[in-house]
Amino acid sequence: MFHQWKNTYRLAALLLTLCANTAYAQLNIFACEPEWAALTRTLAGDAANVYSATTAQQDPHHIQARPSLIAKVRRADLLVCTGAELEVGWLPLLLRKSGNAKIQAGQAGYFMATDHVSLLEKPAVLDRSLGDIHAAGNPHIHLDPYRVQQVAEALAITLTTIDPANQKNYRENLQNFNLEWRNAISQWQKQSDKLRGKRIVVSHNNWVYLEHWLGLERLAVLEPRPGIPPNSKYLAKVLAQLEQNPADMILHASYQNDRPALWLSQKTGLPVVGLDFSPSNKNSLIQWFDGVLNQLLRAES
Amino acid sequence: MHKVLSMAVITAALFNSSLAFASSETDDIQQQLEAIKKEYGQAIKALEDRLLKAEKGTQLANDKTQKLAVQLEQSNSARTPSSAKNSFNPAISLVLDGRFASFDNDPEDYELPGFSLGNEAGLREKGLSIGHSELTMSANIDDKFFGKMTLAFDEHDGETETELEEAFIQTLGLGNGFTLKAGRFFSEIGYLNQQHGHAWDFADAPLIYRGLFGDQLVDDGVQMTWLAPTDTFLQLGAELLGGSRFPAGGTTSGVGAWTAFADIGGDIGIEHSWQLGLSHWRSDNIKDRKSGGHSHGGGQAETPSFSGDSKISALDLVYKWAPNGNPNHRNFKFQFEYFDRQEDGSVAMLNSGPPLEMTSYDGDQKGWYAQATYKFKPQWQMGFRYDWLDSNNRGSDTDVLAEAGLDNEGLNPQRYSATLEWLPSEFSRLRLQYNRDESYEETDHQLLLQYTMSLGSHGAHQF
């Protein structure tokens, strides 16, 4: 009997040490999208173990609350997501199922990027007949480098709050990031001068911050309403509109269905630019922005 | 530039004149020329210096404006607190459901031999009818609790019935992976049971759910779950339930039923995900659980009533695939569940006799279903399902068993179903479903056309 108890006790102790070990390791950070994973990696460096819930090939509006994601949120010390209802179809469920107090809404470990910048296209009327619109405004802010910089500043503060021991590390990383980012911005600004005023057609209205930054003019969206795929009648209407008022290129995100864009390209001869909507697993934000601009410039020339 | 030009003209003129004058004054002139050359050279050098300086100045000025522009852009996009978040009001969502049903057989004749149907089990009305409408309100109560209530509206025999389907509170991050739930909720037994009917992939419940739970197991109680701190999803949980609702039935006081469950799941690469669950439900000392039985028409219906112990064991498996892990355009889902129920006690036929017809009862019922759905285009999905049941119930009086519908009549109820769905947006669905229903001797061909629309806030759907 005594031996049995002793064994149980040993097992419990072993389990506890295992748990404790994981608790003392690096910060576990759960990023909803790859852009925030990349930014967090830059700011936290070795102090954190960053996991991205999605890839650039996945539509962040439509992710399933998979068991693997619940398990990741369970162990997270910090959540870095877009917010503004982008993840409304899956994140609340992950939070409720996680049993994790640190990352619940309102806690220090709950970081929503859109809480720290202003949003464009806040709808005046909320009606689903207008499609799947976001009440807080367009959430795809990561395509504007100025807003990314604001998010970086806020994120560095959050990192310091939840992990004060590494404060110096986070401050230095932020300073380095700011320096590199400013240089990159002025370089991108110069590079992208010839894109200013270019007229584009987009698959889904998720490029608004890029349009705003680069001075692109959006002529048409290949969805009759946000989130509603086009039918042939609608595409014919867009085609007629473009014959009157021609565009320079068609943009669509890597995770979107490219059929409507390819169809329109065939009819009009416009180049289709399939852009990675988010950085890939290994890329930094700067590398990703470079890639996006290069793709746009190539299509333009 | 002008100066350079004028110098060239002057030099040329001097040269010409010097040629004209020739010899004697050549040295003089040469000296003068040297002097002029020197003078102009210096002037040009000075000019070049000034130009360089000016260029540097503009560069600096440009940099400064650039920096100002960055700051201006940032202040323009500075944070404005979002007022659109209605976080203090509960999220309200309404599900509207309506259908047209066509059956070859009379739905009133429906039976499931070997299973005593209780609760809402059975086929719905023929023709046009509204289905199961739901009104849900939910919100975070504070930083510690979440609350949700669902009212269901159903039409039964010409009367609208309102049912409190769910009303529970749940802790938000109790810590260490624990979550506590209390109130009325869908039990975590099986896989489909926790989902609302509108989230199912078919218009009706699997036969085994119809036979064991009367479509779905809802009860009042508390639930505790614990999530392991591992990369693989591992969840353990238990429920203590009031046990006053079917299939516990009876009016026991206190804890009338309990469940225990374990789920494990994960991803294989980016495109595949899976979940495997084991669950067990148990209710001892059930008193007077009434069910529909096997009516023979005429007179007051005799209602079977079960008293005794009941236990259900379940295994569920779900596998999902989506190209690139992006289920929006195309995805595939396979789902399998197996249930086994063992019961021990007695069955009495109420309103019979006197003397009251009674039999001892040793129930052995099992069944499974397997289904697959494939979303082949962004707005289109099809699905197939197969149901199979088996029972081997014994009792001291086989006549009473037969009357209670617990005799399997020597057959295994089964059903084949196929659906085609059109999903105009994520909030609306039109479904066409065909069933070849072999629940009892006479095969029934059933055709259902159903709409399901959700209004209001997005509800996040479970895996």
Side-chain angles (χ1 to χ4, degrees):
Chain A
M1 185 67 192
F2 176 70
H3 272 285
Q4 260 183 0
W5 275 112
K6 212 166 136 188
N7 279 343
T8 321
Y9 176 74
R10 270 190 193 155
L11 190 70
L14 186 71
L15 277 173
L16 271 175
T17 23
L18 280 175
C19 290
N21 272 342
T22 51
Y24 283 116
Q26 306 160 299
L27 284 184
N28 278 317
I29 301 182
F30 182 97
C32 287
E33 289 86 22
E35 52 269 23
W36 305 131
L39 182 63
T40 313
R41 268 187 212 114
T42 310
L43 293 182
D46 294 333
N49 178 19
V50 182
Y51 172 79
S52 175
T54 57
T55 69
Q57 305 303 315
Q58 289 174 305
D59 183 346
H61 300 87
H62 301 283
I63 297 297
Q64 289 181 319
R66 301 195 307 277
S68 60
L69 296 183
I70 298 171
K72 287 286 184 191
V73 173
R74 154 76 167 92
R75 297 207 292 165
D77 301 299
L78 170 65
L79 212 67
V80 184
C81 295
T82 301
E85 296 178 2
L86 179 65
E87 299 100 349
V88 74
W90 48 286
L91 189 59
L93 204 64
L94 297 184
L95 289 179
R96 283 214 301 280
K97 292 220 158 198
S98 70
N100 182 349
K102 289 182 217 162
I103 43 77
Q104 299 293 329
Q107 300 297 319
Y110 179 85
F111 182 90
M112 296 289 128
T114 51
D115 285 349
H116 302 275
V117 297
S118 70
L119 300 185
L120 298 175
E121 296 190 333
K122 189 171 163 171
V125 182
L126 287 178
D127 189 329
R128 284 272 158 74
S129 68
L130 303 174
D132 191 4
I133 49 177
H134 300 280
N138 194 312
H140 307 288
I141 55 163
H142 66 292
L143 289 152
D144 173 5
Y146 296 107
R147 284 183 166 83
V148 169
Q149 188 166 350
Q150 285 176 291
V151 172
E153 310 252 355
L155 183 55
I157 294 171
T158 299
L159 283 168
T160 311
T161 314
I162 60 169
D163 182 23
N166 279 315
Q167 184 176 5
K168 203 171 139 239
N169 177 19
Y170 299 132
R171 204 187 312 130
E172 277 171 14
N173 288 344
L174 178 67
Q175 274 166 1
N176 290 340
F177 171 79
N178 276 346
L179 205 67
E180 283 178 31
W181 196 245
R182 267 166 210 262
N183 284 340
I185 288 182
S186 43
Q187 204 166 357
W188 292 328
Q189 217 82 301
K190 265 181 225 152
Q191 274 183 324
S192 64
D193 247 3
K194 8 177 190 178
L195 291 172
R196 205 153 282 278
K198 288 289 167 204
R199 302 183 316 164
I200 57 168
V201 178
V202 299
S203 285
H204 175 71
N205 188 17
N206 47 5
W207 302 103
V208 41
Y209 293 93
L210 188 76
E211 292 156 14
H212 184 72
W213 173 47
L214 296 180
L216 304 172
E217 189 190 340
R218 180 176 71 229
L219 292 185
V221 182
L222 290 183
E223 283 177 334
R225 305 267 180 265
I228 311 289
N231 54 21
S232 51
K233 201 172 139 195
Y234 179 78
L235 286 177
K237 207 177 100 189
V238 174
L239 183 61
Q241 186 194 330
L242 289 180
E243 273 163 7
Q244 293 288 316
N245 192 6
D248 294 305
M249 60 180 95
I250 306 168
L251 295 195
H252 82 93
S254 44
Y255 66 76
Q256 278 160 341
N257 189 359
D258 58 358
R259 270 197 209 159
L262 291 177
W263 179 88
L264 192 68
S265 164
Q266 234 175 19
K267 295 279 173 188
T268 55
L270 290 178
V272 176
V273 194
L275 292 175
D276 285 335
F277 199 63
S278 299
S280 71
N281 218 359
K282 298 274 179 313
N283 279 2
S284 73
L285 279 174
I286 291 183
Q287 286 168 322
W288 169 65
F289 261 98
D290 274 339
V292 167
L293 276 187
N294 280 336
Q295 268 180 287
L296 285 172
L297 288 168
R298 232 177 294 143
E300 183 272 334
S301 53
Chain B
M1 193 65 205
H2 268 288
K3 292 207 170 165
V4 180
L5 203 71
S6 52
M7 191 190 81
V9 172
I10 293 167
T11 328
L14 284 172
F15 248 101
N16 283 342
S17 55
S18 71
L19 273 175
F21 284 104
S23 65
S24 70
E25 292 170 30
T26 324
D27 285 354
D28 235 21
I29 291 166
Q30 229 161 18
Q31 272 172 9
Q32 276 176 13
L33 254 177
E34 285 299 321
I36 291 168
K37 256 190 192 168
K38 217 176 176 181
E39 202 178 309
Y40 277 96
Q42 276 169 351
I44 287 169
K45 178 98 183 10
L47 273 171
E48 272 176 0
D49 283 353
R50 274 170 66 184
L51 197 69
L52 262 174
K53 251 187 194 166
E55 269 180 356
K56 257 189 191 160
T58 12
Q59 178 89 40
L60 270 172
N62 272 348
D63 282 359
K64 270 188 186 159
T65 24
Q66 166 97 40
K67 260 184 200 157
L68 275 175
V70 170
Q71 281 164 5
L72 191 70
E73 188 74 41
Q74 280 178 359
S75 61
N76 276 346
S77 62
R79 178 187 184 181
T80 49
S82 54
S83 58
K85 260 192 208 160
N86 239 344
S87 44
F88 294 108
N89 296 330
I92 297 175
S93 89
L94 179 65
V95 175
L96 296 178
D97 180 274
R99 62 179 73 199
F100 170 79
S102 150
F103 305 120
D104 271 6
N105 300 352
D106 186 348
E108 295 289 321
D109 289 346
Y110 185 81
E111 56 171 323
L112 208 51
F115 293 78
S116 231
L117 295 178
N119 219 356
E120 290 175 12
L123 299 180
R124 290 167 171 275
E125 286 102 286
K126 257 185 178 175
L128 288 164
S129 65
I130 64 154
H132 194 79
S133 311
E134 283 177 1
L135 181 64
T136 303
M137 281 181 251
S138 65
N140 288 349
I141 296 163
D142 54 21
D143 60 331
K144 301 270 187 296
F145 299 101
F146 166 83
K148 183 177 182 185
M149 185 182 85
T150 304
L151 284 174
F153 304 93
D154 254 310
E155 192 82 0
H156 260 282
D157 303 322
E159 268 182 62
T160 306
E161 289 176 5
T162 309
E163 192 198 353
L164 188 60
E165 198 171 60
E166 279 180 306
F168 66 82
I169 57 153
Q170 190 179 12
T171 58
L172 286 171
L174 205 55
N176 295 318
F178 285 100
T179 303
L180 190 69
K181 201 190 237 187
R184 176 172 299 176
F185 50 84
F186 291 120
S187 168
E188 289 241 9
I189 190 160
Y191 167 74
L192 210 52
N193 195 66
Q194 316 146 43
Q195 298 181 3
H196 283 266
H198 70 83
W200 293 352
D201 293 315
F202 290 82
D204 39 25
L207 288 185
I208 189 68
Y209 274 79
R210 186 180 280 169
L212 297 187
F213 306 123
D215 284 1
Q216 223 165 350
L217 176 59
V218 182
D219 209 338
D220 303 350
V222 290
Q223 179 195 71
M224 176 71 103
T225 58
W226 178 71
L227 199 59
T230 49
D231 257 355
T232 304
F233 172 81
L234 174 64
Q235 179 184 261
L236 305 176
E239 293 162 355
L240 295 178
L241 303 167
S244 59
R245 294 163 65 93
F246 193 87
T251 47
T252 43
S253 54
V255 177
W258 58 264
T259 60
F261 51 91
D263 296 293
I264 182 167
D267 291 344
I268 306 166
I270 281 173
E271 301 194 330
H272 313 269
S273 49
W274 59 279
Q275 185 180 304
L276 179 71
L278 285 172
S279 47
H280 186 74
W281 175 91
R282 187 160 180 159
S283 180
D284 290 338
N285 295 318
I286 294 175
K287 296 220 163 41
D288 189 25
R289 180 185 76 200
K290 295 183 185 68
S291 49
H294 188 169
S295 75
H296 291 282
Q300 197 170 21
E302 292 179 4
T303 308
S305 158
F306 167 79
S307 298
D309 302 342
S310 176
K311 51 190 176 194
I312 301 174
S313 304
L315 168 84
D316 59 83
L317 174 69
V318 183
Y319 160 80
K320 293 187 184 185
W321 169 82
N324 292 320
N326 195 24
N328 206 21
H329 309 315
R330 276 195 304 147
N331 68 61
F332 174 82
K333 177 181 172 191
F334 174 80
Q335 177 180 327
F336 169 85
E337 288 190 76
Y338 173 85
F339 286 86
D340 173 288
R341 178 161 74 182
Q342 302 292 329
E343 291 187 313
D344 189 17
S346 62
V347 172
M349 297 303 290
L350 304 181
N351 300 321
S352 68
L356 202 67
E357 294 173 17
M358 273 192 80
T359 175
S360 67
Y361 177 60
D362 176 13
D364 174 8
Q365 300 161 317
K366 48 181 160 289
W368 57 268
Y369 74 90
Q371 69 179 51
T373 58
Y374 180 48
K375 188 175 180 182
F376 54 97
K377 279 173 89 167
Q379 292 178 311
W380 292 88
Q381 177 170 300
M382 59 183 179
F384 298 96
R385 179 181 64 186
Y386 175 71
D387 284 279
W388 184 87
L389 301 184
D390 187 30
S391 61
N392 183 17
N393 307 318
R394 280 180 296 260
S396 51
D397 189 331
T398 47
D399 288 343
V400 178
L401 276 191
E403 256 188 277
L406 291 167
D407 178 9
N408 68 14
E409 299 169 18
L411 62 87
N412 292 116
Q414 56 179 347
R415 183 175 64 180
Y416 304 85
S417 312
T419 61
L420 181 66
E421 292 176 358
W422 179 49
L423 312 145
S425 75
E426 58 185 303
F427 308 106
S428 57
R429 176 179 65 210
L430 283 180
R431 173 187 282 151
L432 180 68
Q433 180 173 334
Y434 165 76
N435 290 339
R436 179 189 162 90
D437 191 345
E438 298 173 13
S439 287
Y440 53 103
E441 301 92 330
E442 276 177 75
T443 301
D444 190 11
H445 300 278
Q446 303 163 349
L447 203 62
L448 297 150
L449 185 61
Q450 180 195 26
Y451 67 78
T452 310
M453 312 272 156
S454 79
L455 293 73
S457 71
H458 287 258
H461 277 232
Q462 300 194 23
F463 177 74

